[in-house]
Amino acid sequence: MGEELVLASKWDIGFDVVRFLWVGFFSSLPLWARCTVLALFGATLVYGFVSWLRNRSSATPEAAPEAEGDTPEAVENDHEDAARVR
């Protein structure tokens, strides 16, 4: 196991994306294979965008101003009582 470990850089990812699109648009593959390559690339973009939207919308909003007399501990205990945990 005396092999060196080579890590890919972020520029390698860009090169791979360009090469992937080059195959999809300009290769001598049959039309069905090129369409498959482009569909996989498009599906990856859509999945990434939907994941980004989901993470963005699930981010916790800033804490609302506390009502008078409510301490952070009291608010925290209200949430703990609402969910039963075994």
Side-chain angles (χ1 to χ4, degrees):
M1 290 223 170
E3 301 167 332
E4 285 188 40
L5 180 64
V6 179
L7 300 175
S9 71
K10 61 183 173 183
W11 297 108
D12 289 338
I13 294 171
F15 177 74
D16 290 339
V17 167
V18 169
R19 186 173 51 179
F20 198 75
L21 288 174
W22 185 268
V23 167
F25 284 115
F26 303 113
S27 70
S28 61
L29 291 173
L31 180 62
W32 66 268
R34 286 186 290 161
C35 289
T36 303
V37 168
L38 293 174
L40 286 172
F41 184 75
T44 302
L45 287 179
V46 169
Y47 177 76
F49 182 70
V50 169
S51 296
W52 175 76
L53 280 178
R54 188 176 303 157
N55 288 338
R56 185 173 173 242
S57 66
S58 69
T60 56
E62 291 184 23
E66 296 175 6
E68 289 182 30
D70 282 348
T71 62
E73 294 81 20
V75 172
E76 201 172 289
N77 289 338
D78 288 342
H79 294 292
E80 289 177 352
D81 292 338
R84 288 182 69 187
V85 179
R86 290 184 187 187

